[in-house]
């Protein structure tokens, strides 16, 4: 069996102390296969964002450990984690993905630039072409629509050929057409380039683009589903909530 | 709303602290200046309270030069006139003049109030507190100031000399002196007369009248009898007058201090204004929400004003405390430089100081907050819903305001540089330029930062820093502008000082032919050296000529001026002249030698009559010579009298310097050693220097002056740096999400810190460069008025270079706190930040 792209082992995250302590993740163990598009779903407060943040080296666990490929993140210093995010991870957030003073091109090449690496021009062109933002490269974020901004963010995430891309409700702020386009591109990245993607969402339609869905509730993994459709997901959510 | 304002202050403690600090610095400076001068002023009052008690009238020369060697003496015959005036029961004639002191074989040289010799034979003006008065040629009685300052006691032997060789005197008593100011050394009248070389002359006569109610009659009577140049004054009025004069001098110090304090306050206003503007800009949505909820515009303004007033109040209190600390430090420094005895009591905290401190604190914040508050109140409720940043406003207003102020400012300063208008006009022009530059900062900021960045090469970190600095041009311009003020003043002053230095050294290098100079070893060059030294040194076989110069204060054709002096016999051997009109041999008696520039100004030629007043009334003199040094020399002192004439008029005065021309082939260093050896025993107060040493001395003194000005300006630069810290903190706060994103996608903390640091450095270089350009121009302009048109301009490159390096360092320092904040942001919180 191949090494999972990411995994959490006995992951526990507790916010606060004493009476006010809140357990966001409770002894979660989960693996994410490479080249797969996984959606993490769950109601608010289920711990889905916390799980993603910990997997993405943005937050640390109270107990347990997290691996990216063979690399154990737990115990790493800020500098190592930062470089890991820079070199191995791509991000697409719900909003405010781009630095407002930089053009689309500068935003896309930013991770490579801050790492002091040369951009792979051929790959850059390919990504830009797939995402259809070739005519927007010299624009600043304020001159682009929300859908275009998210596509630029996706391009940035792809441009550095990361081992894994994390999406935090990437289509949450978009109208349904733009959202569908964006998710379609993400699907394509997995199918064409074998990109690993983990995405947090609470929207059934968005989740249906994934290969696999992991359901979280109250800090536990309560279910999972392969090859989902929107209807199946909605049904499952209903049963989970009752 | 008021509660919301106060909570705002509390919730942004760091911001409030920095705002308060940038106001407090200026307020402290103002309060400190007031407390310091009030304290000294208070001790002046105490000083003269008991002065002149027991005497009713004092006979003085017309111009009273107080404790200097410039006090004219008058003929002793005046005493006969005074004594023969009806209604007078007692008279105490006296002499006084500067004296040099040596304790335990060490020449006492202090900066500040002089050592003063005078006659005392029980005159009521001074009272004995210990021992007895001096009698005979080897005794001296000192005052309490001298006792404390030089740690003397009855029975000690001290060396004293005025115009002659040094002699030893035994201390016999201590008099209650003025408690401050000059240290007094009193002899009996005969000894004082001989020490000071005032045979047959007096400098004062104190008088007691029989019936004080008839004082005015006696005064009138005396006035009609006294010769020209000698006046009788009401002693009590004279005491008050002297206190008033000292206070006037103090007033000048106060004005200088307040000018520098004012600069700090103005810089504070700019910093606080900029901060308020930025904060309110950031709070647009919050304010709009208040409007949506139904708050009126007036309520919005009120909330901002309340916030400003609270900050102003805190600053007033802290500024007062800071002022007391500053005044204490200033007093300590003052005592160190010889003002001991002055201001030893408690600090004087006048009610006016409280009012001023609070007033300035409140005014600064109110003025700074009013405009941003008014603008913020205009925010439409719709802004609460808007998510997209407003497009940047055009800078047309800046262009108009900057040009309207800047163009006339440049013209005025340029005219000053050509010496067409006076210094005050130039100052007004300079102020206009400074404000215009401040306004222009918003316009030139963006292209400037981009140019520098291009010059440095674009790394991604620097690219983002550049964009950030250019993002809000008004903010960047205003932040840099505050720094520009301090730097411009520093540069302008250094330009003037460097030109002064060049002028002074050019005289020595190009106009003085004498290889050695003998002058006072003390800190006060007007104490001078004994005129006897010239004849002793003149005997030496390797000395070709000596040139003794004296100086005097007075007026020529009713324009007040300082006079130098020449000895006509040796003037051509000891100076280089390019032009001499008339004959040096005619420079005797009541004649004047006038430098070309001043001669042209007054339209004088040899043989012309001029009116000269040396403090003893106007006299008709004649121009003997019109001369000029080589063209490289700009000597501002244009009028020279014969040395011998000044010696006759001011016998108690020493010569200020003796130039020594050596015979060909003599080594100056060897000659210096021989002369020093020869005169050391009898004239320990004289110091022989070579030209090189003299040059170094002048440079040292000017450096001292420069350092003093820098210290006074340091406060305003410090405030400007606080401004950079404040604005960067606000920017970091504003860009929280951006910083979070940068961290999320892999920027290291080091990179984030570097980003903020570069932004700070861009702003500080912008401020420093604007300051350098403006300051150099203003320095050039003001020099035109100070040195006259056609002065030789020097750009102080060294200082400018050091200033730029210092500003880069300052930018780096200012960035420490904001950079740390930015780098330590919690990424998750930052990304989620709204």
């Amino acid at each position: 069996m191949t090494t999972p792209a990411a995994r959490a082992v006995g992951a526990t995250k507790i916010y606060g102390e004493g009476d006010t302590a809140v357990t966001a993740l409770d002894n979660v163990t989960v693996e994410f296969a490479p080249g797969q598009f996984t959606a993490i779903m769950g109601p608010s407060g289920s711990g889905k964002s916390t799980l993603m943040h910990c997997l993405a080296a943005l937050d640390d666990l109270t107990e347990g450990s997290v691996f990216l490929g063979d690399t154990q993140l737990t115990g790493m210093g800020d500098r190592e984690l930062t470089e890991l995010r820079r070199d191995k991870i791509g991000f697409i957030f719900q909003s405010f993905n781009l630095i407002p003073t930089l053009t689309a091109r500068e935003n896309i090449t930013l991770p490579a630039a801050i790492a002091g690496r040369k951009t792979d021009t051929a790959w850059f062109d390919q990504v830009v072409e797939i995402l259809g933002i070739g005519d927007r490269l010299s624009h600043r974020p304020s001159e682009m629509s929300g859908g275009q901004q998210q596509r630029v963010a996706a391009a940035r995430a792809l441009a550095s050929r990361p081992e894994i891309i994390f999406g935090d409700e990437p289509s949450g702020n978009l109208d349904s057409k733009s959202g569908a386009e964006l998710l379609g591109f993400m699907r394509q990245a997995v199918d064409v380039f074998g990109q690993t993607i983990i995405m947090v969402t609470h929207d059934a339609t968005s989740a249906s683009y994934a290969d696999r869905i992991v359901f979280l509730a109250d800090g536990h993994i309560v279910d999972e589903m392969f090859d989902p459709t929107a209807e199946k997901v909605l049904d499952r959510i209903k049963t989970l909530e009752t | 709303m008021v509660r919301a304002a106060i909570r705002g202050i509390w919730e942004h403690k760091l911001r409030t602290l920095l705002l308060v600090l940038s106001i407090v610095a200026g307020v402290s400076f103002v309060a400190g200046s007031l407390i310091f001068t009030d304290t000294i002023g208070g001790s002046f009052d105490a000083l003269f309270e008991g002065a002149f008690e027991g005497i009713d009238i004092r006979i003085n020369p017309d111009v009273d030069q107080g404790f200097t060697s410039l006090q004219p003496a008058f003929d002793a015959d005046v005493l006969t006139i005074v004594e023969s005036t009806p209604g007078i029961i007692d008279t105490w004639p006296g002499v006084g003049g500067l004296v040099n002191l040596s304790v335990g074989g060490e020449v006492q040289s202090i900066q500040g109030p002089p050592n003063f010799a005078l006659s005392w034979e029980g005159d009521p003006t001074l009272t004995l507190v210990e021992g007895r008065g001096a009698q005979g040629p080897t005794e001296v009685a000192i005052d309490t100031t001298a006792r404390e300052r030089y740690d003397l006691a009855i029975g000690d032997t001290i060396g004293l000399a005025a115009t002659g060789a040094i002699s030893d005197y035994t201390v016999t008593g201590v008099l209650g002196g003025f408690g401050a100011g000059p240290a007094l050394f009193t002899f009996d009248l005969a000894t004082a007369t001989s020490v000071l070389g005032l045979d047959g002359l007096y400098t004062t006569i104190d008088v007691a009248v029989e019936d004080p109610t008839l004082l005015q009659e006696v005064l009138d009577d005396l006035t009609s009898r006294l010769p020209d140049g000698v006046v009788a004054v009401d002693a009590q009025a004279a005491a008050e007058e002297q206190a008033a004069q000292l206070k006037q001098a103090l007033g000048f110090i106060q004005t200088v201090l307040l000018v520098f304090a004012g600069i700090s306050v103005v810089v504070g206003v700019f910093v606080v204004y900029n901060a308020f503007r930025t904060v309110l800009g950031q709070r647009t949505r919050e304010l709009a929400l208040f409007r949506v909820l139904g708050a009126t515009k007036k309520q919005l303004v009120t909330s901002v004003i309340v916030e400003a007033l609270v900050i102003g109040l805190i600053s007033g209190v802290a500024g007062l405390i800071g002022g007391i600390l500053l005044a204490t430090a200033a007093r300590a420094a003052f005592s160190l430089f010889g003002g001991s005895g002055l201001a030893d009591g408690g600090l004087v905290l006048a009610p006016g100081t409280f009012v001023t401190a609070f007033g300035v604190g409140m005014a600064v914040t109110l003025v700074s907050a009013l405009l941003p508050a008014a603008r913020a109140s205009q925010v439409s409720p719709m802004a609460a819903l808007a998510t997209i940043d407003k497009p940047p406003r055009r800078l047309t207003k800046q262009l108009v305001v900057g040009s309207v102020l800047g163009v006339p400012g440049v013209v005025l300063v340029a005219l000053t540089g050509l010496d067409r208008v006076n210094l005050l006009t130039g100052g007004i022009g300079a102020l206009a330029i400074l404000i215009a530059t401040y306004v222009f900062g918003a316009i030139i900021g963006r292209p400037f930062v981009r140019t520098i960045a291009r010059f440095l090469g674009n790394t991604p970190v620097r690219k983002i820093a550049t964009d950030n600095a250019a993002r809000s041009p008004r903010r960047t311009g205003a932040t840099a502008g505050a720094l520009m003020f301090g730097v411009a003043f520093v540069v302008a002053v250094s330009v003037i000082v460097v030109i002064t230095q060049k002028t002074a050294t050019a005289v020595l290098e190009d106009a003085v032919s004498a290889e050695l100079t003998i002058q006072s070893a003390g800190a006060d060059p007007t104490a001078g050296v004994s005129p006897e030294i010239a004849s002793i040194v003149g005997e030496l076989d390797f000395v070709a000529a000596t040139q003794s110069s004296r100086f005097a204060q007075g007026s020529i054709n009713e324009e007040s001026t300082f006079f130098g002096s020449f000895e006509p016999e040796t003037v051509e051997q000891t100076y280089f002249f390019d032009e001499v009109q008339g004959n040096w041999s005619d420079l005797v008696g009541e004649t004047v030698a006038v430098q070309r520039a001043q001669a042209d100004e007054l339209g004088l030629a040899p043989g012309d009559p001029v009116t000269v007043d040396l403090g003893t009334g106007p006299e008709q003199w004649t121009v003997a010579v019109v001369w000029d040094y080589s063209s490289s020399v700009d000597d501002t002192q244009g009028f020279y009298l014969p040395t011998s004439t000044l010696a006759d008029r001011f016998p108690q005065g020493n010569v200020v310097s003796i130039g020594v021309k050596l015979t060909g082939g003599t080594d100056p260093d060897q000659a210096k050693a021989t002369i020093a050896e020869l005169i050391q025993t009898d004239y320990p107060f004289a110091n022989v220097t070579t030209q090189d040493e003299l040059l170094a001395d002048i440079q040292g003194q000017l450096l001292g002056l420069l350092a003093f000005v820098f210290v006074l300006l340091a406060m305003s630069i410090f405030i400007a740096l606080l401004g950079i810290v404040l604005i960067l903190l606000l920017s970091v706060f504003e860009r929280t999400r951006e910083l979070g994103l940068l961290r999320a996608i892999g920027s290291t903390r080091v990179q984030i810190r570097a980003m903020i640091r570069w932004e700070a450095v861009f702003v500080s270089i912008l401020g420093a460069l604007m300051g350098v350009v403006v300051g150099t121009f203003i320095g050039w302009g003001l020099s035109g008025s100070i040195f006259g048109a056609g002065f030789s301009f020097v750009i102080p490159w060294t200082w400018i270079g050091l200033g730029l390096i210092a500003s880069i360092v300052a930018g780096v320092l200012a960035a420490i706190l904001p950079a740390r904040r930015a780098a330590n942001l919690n990424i998750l919180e930052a990304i989620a930040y709204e």
Side-chain angles (χ1 to χ4, degrees):
Chain A
M1 189 189 154
T2 50
T3 319
R7 66 193 155 103
V9 180
T12 301
K13 177 76 182 178
I14 299 170
Y15 291 109
E17 276 171 31
D19 293 344
T20 57
V22 175
T23 307
L25 287 179
D26 189 2
N27 196 18
V28 171
T29 300
V30 63
E31 294 189 350
F32 299 91
Q36 219 177 38
F37 189 170
T38 310
I40 304 177
M41 291 199 80
S44 295
S46 62
K48 60 182 190 299
S49 291
T50 306
L51 177 60
M52 190 206 84
H53 290 151
C54 292
L55 288 168
L58 287 170
D59 205 351
D60 51 2
L61 290 170
T62 313
E63 252 175 69
S65 49
V66 166
F67 296 84
L68 196 73
D70 290 326
T71 320
Q72 179 170 0
L73 305 193
T74 317
M76 274 188 170
D78 177 74
R79 197 190 167 84
E80 288 169 293
L81 289 175
T82 302
E83 282 169 6
L84 194 90
R85 286 197 302 272
R86 188 183 72 196
D87 300 334
K88 308 224 160 133
I89 299 177
F91 285 101
I92 311 172
F93 296 107
Q94 181 172 3
S95 63
F96 206 87
N97 262 303
L98 308 176
I99 301 294
T101 49
L102 300 180
T103 62
R105 178 192 294 277
E106 287 166 338
N107 266 295
I108 295 169
T109 56
L110 189 58
I114 55 185
R117 277 196 309 263
K118 273 239 153 83
T119 312
D120 179 341
T121 326
W123 175 242
F124 174 87
D125 291 342
Q126 201 177 347
V127 168
V128 164
E129 165 140 27
I130 290 174
L131 286 161
I133 48 173
D135 56 341
R136 296 282 160 201
L137 288 179
S138 59
H139 290 218
R140 285 176 206 280
S142 59
E143 298 160 333
M144 289 185 274
S145 72
Q148 285 165 343
Q149 289 188 31
Q150 289 304 86
R151 273 189 274 160
V152 172
R156 183 192 58 207
L158 281 167
S160 54
R161 291 178 184 274
E163 290 183 6
I164 191 162
I165 290 177
F166 289 98
D168 189 357
E169 307 264 16
S171 61
N173 262 9
L174 302 180
D175 59 73
S176 52
K177 181 170 173 282
S178 310
E181 274 173 10
L182 180 71
L183 290 161
F185 291 130
M186 291 169 71
R187 181 71 248 168
Q188 230 181 314
V190 175
D191 294 340
V192 179
F193 308 128
Q195 180 67 56
T196 310
I197 298 181
I198 298 176
M199 167 180 84
V200 167
T201 184
H202 65 266
D203 174 53
T205 317
S206 304
S208 67
Y209 284 84
D211 299 312
R212 171 194 176 205
I213 300 179
V214 173
F215 292 93
L216 252 78
D218 299 327
H220 298 277
I221 292 181
V222 290
D223 198 1
E224 65 178 328
M225 177 191 286
F226 290 88
D227 300 319
T229 64
E231 292 89 57
K232 272 164 68 185
V233 176
L234 278 173
D235 287 346
R236 187 68 56 88
I237 291 175
K238 275 182 200 138
T239 55
L240 281 175
E241 277 173 359
T242 48
Chain B
M1 291 300 284
V2 169
R3 191 170 302 162
I6 290 174
R7 188 165 310 143
I9 293 177
W10 181 245
E11 273 170 14
H12 303 284
K13 282 185 279 289
L14 182 63
R15 185 177 86 200
T16 306
L17 179 73
L18 285 167
L19 274 176
V20 167
L21 264 184
S22 28
I23 306 166
V24 164
V27 175
S28 301
F29 206 159
V30 172
S33 307
L34 291 176
I35 296 171
F36 176 61
T37 42
D38 282 351
T39 304
I40 296 185
S43 53
F44 280 168
D45 282 339
L47 198 63
F48 286 98
E49 222 150 69
F52 299 154
E53 223 164 86
I55 67 163
D56 303 304
I57 295 171
R58 168 159 273 208
I59 313 284
N60 263 343
D62 196 359
V63 172
D64 188 3
Q65 296 283 3
F67 297 108
T68 69
S69 57
L70 297 175
Q71 173 91 318
F74 51 83
D75 205 283
D77 292 348
V78 172
L79 182 61
T80 330
I81 301 172
V82 175
E83 281 173 335
S84 65
T85 306
I88 287 172
I89 48 165
D90 222 339
T91 56
W92 296 276
V95 291
L98 292 181
V99 71
N100 286 304
L101 168 71
S102 161
V103 179
E106 297 253 343
V107 173
Q108 301 297 310
S109 159
I110 54 149
Q111 204 107 34
N115 297 319
F116 202 76
L118 73 167
S119 58
W120 186 78
E121 296 183 334
D123 317 13
T125 47
L126 295 169
T127 45
L128 198 63
V129 294
E130 202 186 338
R132 58 175 179 81
Q135 282 165 7
T138 59
E139 291 186 358
V140 66
I142 59 175
D143 76 340
T144 45
T145 311
R147 179 180 65 185
E148 257 99 76
R149 191 171 294 161
Y150 301 111
D151 197 15
L152 299 174
I154 291 177
D156 285 355
T157 300
I158 56 177
L160 289 165
T163 56
I166 190 168
S167 295
D168 282 343
Y169 300 88
T170 307
V171 178
T172 60
V174 178
L175 300 162
F178 296 139
L184 302 183
F185 297 85
T186 72
F187 308 91
D188 64 27
L189 183 57
T191 310
T193 305
S194 105
V195 166
L196 294 166
L198 284 170
D199 291 332
L201 298 166
Y202 296 130
T203 53
T204 55
I205 301 173
D206 290 337
V207 175
V209 298
E210 195 167 9
D211 180 358
T213 58
L214 295 175
L215 181 62
Q216 197 52 49
E217 281 77 4
V218 178
L219 271 174
D220 292 344
D221 197 5
L222 272 173
T223 304
S224 64
R225 289 161 186 256
L226 288 171
D228 277 352
V230 183
V231 292
V233 293
D234 179 337
Q236 294 313 313
E240 282 160 27
E241 169 88 355
Q242 288 203 11
Q245 271 179 11
L246 274 175
K247 279 197 152 174
Q248 202 179 359
L250 194 65
F252 175 72
I253 297 176
Q254 192 174 49
T255 308
V256 170
L257 287 177
L258 284 180
V259 164
F260 284 102
I263 295 172
S264 303
V265 170
V266 169
V267 173
V269 169
F270 285 130
V271 165
V272 176
Y273 164 75
N274 199 20
F276 265 104
R277 213 177 60 81
T278 308
V279 168
L280 288 173
Q282 289 174 357
R283 281 172 53 195
T284 301
R285 291 182 69 180
E286 177 194 329
L287 292 173
L289 188 62
F290 274 120
R291 295 278 284 135
V292 171
L293 298 177
T296 62
K297 287 183 182 182
K298 205 175 148 203
Q299 282 173 312
L300 286 192
V301 175
T302 310
S303 81
V304 176
I305 299 291
V306 167
E307 186 172 343
L309 280 179
V310 172
I311 290 176
L313 205 66
I314 301 173
S315 308
V317 176
L320 207 56
I321 296 169
I324 292 171
L325 293 178
L326 273 185
T328 311
R331 190 173 59 166
F334 191 70
S335 306
L336 211 63
F337 286 105
S340 68
L342 265 189
D344 281 347
L347 290 173
V348 177
L349 284 167
T353 307
F354 281 91
V355 174
T356 313
F358 284 103
V360 171
M362 305 282 240
V364 166
T365 37
L366 270 188
V367 167
S368 317
L370 223 47
L371 216 64
R375 189 174 302 132
S377 73
Q378 300 300 319
V379 65
S380 115
M382 286 304 292
L385 310 169
T387 46
I388 295 170
D389 292 340
K390 281 177 292 181
R393 265 187 301 184
R394 300 209 164 213
L395 298 165
T396 322
K397 201 168 65 189
Q398 275 74 12
L399 193 65
V400 172
V401 173
S403 309
V404 164
L405 281 171
V407 172
V410 168
V411 170
L412 283 184
V413 172
L415 284 175
T416 319
L418 302 170
D419 201 15
R420 298 285 169 76
V421 292
N422 63 21
L423 199 59
L424 182 67
T425 317
I428 293 170
L431 200 63
I433 293 181
L434 285 173
I435 297 174
T437 314
Y438 179 80
V439 174
F440 272 134
I443 300 172
I444 58 176
R446 193 193 301 250
F448 174 85
V449 169
R450 295 224 188 280
T451 312
I452 293 215
R454 196 165 308 143
F455 177 71
L456 288 170
N458 252 337
T459 66
V461 164
R462 217 144 40 203
K463 162 89 173 97
I464 293 172
T466 312
D467 290 340
N468 284 341
R471 189 191 294 199
S472 176
R474 295 188 60 190
R475 195 189 294 178
T476 300
T479 315
L483 182 62
M484 178 269 304
F485 267 85
V487 174
F489 277 105
V490 167
V491 171
V493 171
S494 3
V495 166
I496 294 170
V497 168
V498 169
I499 293 175
T500 310
Q501 181 174 323
K502 202 179 166 217
T503 309
T505 52
V507 172
L508 273 179
E509 283 169 342
D510 299 338
V512 177
S513 149
E515 289 90 350
L516 300 177
T517 303
I518 302 172
Q519 56 184 16
S520 172
D524 177 10
T526 62
V529 294
S530 170
E532 294 163 10
I533 296 172
S535 44
I536 296 170
V537 171
E539 299 281 303
L540 294 167
D541 55 3
F542 57 81
V543 172
T546 62
Q547 173 70 234
S548 301
S549 29
R550 290 170 176 264
F551 85 108
Q553 202 178 0
S555 68
I556 189 154
N557 287 357
E558 293 177 2
E559 288 263 357
S560 68
T561 182
F562 277 102
F563 293 100
S565 84
F566 284 142
E567 283 186 299
E569 300 82 8
T570 57
V571 71
E572 292 199 289
Q573 282 169 280
T574 46
Y575 289 96
F576 297 116
F577 295 105
D578 266 16
E579 180 203 347
V580 177
Q581 228 190 322
N583 291 313
W584 285 115
S585 54
D586 293 337
L587 188 65
V588 285
E590 279 69 48
T591 56
V592 190
V594 187
Q595 194 174 180
R596 170 52 65 200
Q598 281 78 5
D600 288 346
E601 203 174 301
L602 298 178
L604 295 176
D608 288 351
V610 281
T611 308
V612 169
D613 188 340
L614 290 172
T616 48
E619 299 169 39
Q620 198 74 359
W621 290 36
T622 314
V623 174
V625 178
V626 171
W627 52 274
D628 206 1
Y629 292 134
S630 82
S631 59
S632 64
V633 179
D634 312 298
D635 187 1
T636 47
Q637 193 164 305
F639 303 102
Y640 285 70
L641 309 178
T643 304
S644 56
T645 307
L646 284 180
D648 291 343
R649 298 291 181 107
F650 305 98
Q652 84 279 34
N654 274 330
V655 298
V656 175
S657 71
I658 303 169
V660 181
K661 178 72 190 170
L662 304 173
T663 52
T666 310
D667 173 29
D669 289 319
Q670 227 157 22
K672 174 194 158 169
T674 313
I675 293 172
E677 171 88 41
L678 179 68
I679 61 175
Q680 182 180 287
T681 323
D682 281 345
Y683 307 97
F685 306 113
N687 192 21
V688 191
T689 53
T690 62
Q691 266 210 41
D692 289 344
E693 290 167 334
L694 216 50
L695 285 172
D697 266 9
I698 291 174
Q699 297 188 345
Q701 281 165 18
L702 289 171
L703 272 182
L705 177 69
L706 214 51
F708 179 64
V709 174
F710 286 175
V711 166
L712 291 180
L713 284 170
M715 190 74 95
S716 71
I717 293 181
F718 170 71
I719 298 171
L721 290 179
L722 280 184
I724 297 184
V725 177
L726 198 54
I727 286 300
L728 281 178
L729 273 178
L730 291 173
S731 298
V732 165
F733 174 71
E734 182 178 287
R735 299 183 204 135
T736 301
R737 294 185 71 178
E738 248 171 275
L739 291 164
L741 178 66
L742 282 168
R743 289 279 288 132
I745 63 167
S747 303
T748 60
R749 290 202 165 123
V750 175
Q751 284 176 319
I752 298 285
R753 274 198 289 269
M755 211 173 279
I756 306 289
R757 199 156 48 229
W758 275 111
E759 189 176 345
V761 168
F762 287 145
V763 172
S764 60
I765 294 183
L766 173 62
L769 268 186
M770 289 198 296
V772 164
V773 172
V774 169
T776 308
F777 180 63
I778 291 174
W780 168 82
L782 300 189
S783 298
S785 174
I786 296 170
F787 303 104
F791 65 93
S792 36
F793 179 51
V794 200
I795 295 180
W797 290 114
T798 324
W799 290 109
I800 289 175
L802 284 175
L804 285 179
I805 293 170
S807 64
I808 293 173
V809 172
V812 170
L813 291 179
I816 291 177
L817 185 64
R820 185 176 304 164
R821 280 233 147 178
N824 292 350
L825 280 175
N826 179 306
I827 302 174
L828 287 175
E829 285 170 18
I831 296 172
Y833 179 83
E834 187 70 46

